[in-house]
Amino acid sequence: MSTEPTTVRVPAPVNAHSHAFHRILRGRTHEGEDGGAGTFWTWREHMYRYAHALTPAAYQQLATAVFAEMVCSGYSAVGEFHYLHHQHDGTPYGAPGSDTEPHAMELALGQAALDAGIRLVLLDTCYLQGGLGPDGAVLELEATQRRFSDGTVAGWLERHRRLGTALAELDAGAGLLSLGAAIHSVRALTDQDMAAIAADLDPGEPLHIHLSEQPAENLACAAAYGVSPTGVLDGAGLLDVRLSAVHATHLSEADIKALGLAQANIVMCPTTEADLGDGIGPARELADAGAHIALGSDQHAVLDPYLEQRGLEYGERLRSGQRGRFSPAELSAAARDSGLRSLGLEANDDHLQVRTDSMRTAGSRTTQLPLTATAADVAQVHINGQLVALNGIHTRLGDPAKLYTAFLTQNPEFS
């Protein structure tokens, strides 16, 4: 009797929204210092603490583990929404008198992706102000946020252009690394700065933004501009087919119509949105209006492309009280085709071999695997013509769990 698992070949999913350093937060933010349940502010405090502490060397080690886990879970490509650009005090890496290399944090992510064998679209993020207060007033950057900022939109555009050259040199023809752009949110830039990015950014680059993730963002934006965050993007000339709105949880009917008419991408992150208590966005309405729904794992509370697909459909069922809001084929397209579109990637032959005889999938119709399989059923992962993962183990880097253990052992400030 054969002991070989029975598998089926499926196109490999795409992770359209990632913050690699957030992986440190897994299992650490669910209770407060008093032993009670952890709140959003518990999460935020930990996030900023780790963002401040990371160095290029530590980040490369951590990101290598994260990207290896992604690959072993079945992801073939990732959009890394990256804003840890500078040294802790805001001094650029490679600045005169600084004993550091230019773009050190970005190149650390690029090298991690090359080592893991995953396609990386580095979404270089513009982040210039500390946010908007409830009355719409601009907030100063907090101490940790200084490393996020290039000072001015012109400074960000100039560094962004230089980064494109550096990233291409690192890729050296491997075909795994490419550059995209991001605006952190309408809270992090003025509307004039967003308009400058719309005017000056290469029109071929994908552009991502966190949009209407929480009601407080909408209220602050209304106080500052008199319109919703989607309205601000429209006024700045940013609503178009290359735009990816991440989360898009709290939208008005007018917002949904505008994003649909623009045929924008909507990157939903169901496991993170559930973990943070953000809410359930209007995915079905957005898709019906003409937007393209993609999926991301965001903070990596879990890394499992099947759980994100299931989360999209189950969220819709809970929100609407109806079953079958997205067909299995639509879920597969969100995990793959819309992810490629969101990241500006061309179609490719990246694929998985997924077990159809596990205790989870035995008896499932192949087309319905998005609603039964998990990352544990991913037997093989093929990216860029290479077998990069086999039964949960990376073919070059080994067990991702050991990579995390090494990172925590060698960097005790994160333990």
Side-chain angles (χ1 to χ4, degrees), residues 238-250:
L238 289 170
L239 282 190
D240 57 28
V241 296
R242 74 166 174 180
L243 181 74
S244 290
V246 181
H247 303 304
T249 306
H250 301 281

Side-chain angles (χ1 to χ4, degrees), residues 306 310 314 358 360-361 364-365 368-374 377:
Y306 286 109
R310 216 130 60 237
Y314 286 174
S358 76
R360 292 164 295 277
T361 60
S364 293
R365 303 288 187 264
Q368 297 185 36
L369 286 173
L371 292 159
T372 59
T374 72
D377 299 308

Side-chain angles (χ1 to χ4, degrees), residues 52-71:
H52 182 74
L54 277 169
T55 64
Y59 205 11
Q60 182 173 330
Q61 188 177 18
L62 172 63
T64 300
V66 175
F67 293 155
E69 184 185 1
M70 280 188 199
V71 165

Side-chain angles (χ1 to χ4, degrees), residues 76-94:
S76 60
V78 57
E80 181 62 29
F81 198 105
H82 168 70
Y83 48 83
L84 303 184
H85 302 305
H86 305 303
Q87 298 179 63
H88 305 124
D89 62 356
T91 302
Y93 287 100

Side-chain angles (χ1 to χ4, degrees), residues 192-204:
Q192 294 95 336
D193 285 339
M194 286 182 259
I197 288 175
D200 289 354
L201 191 67
D202 182 342

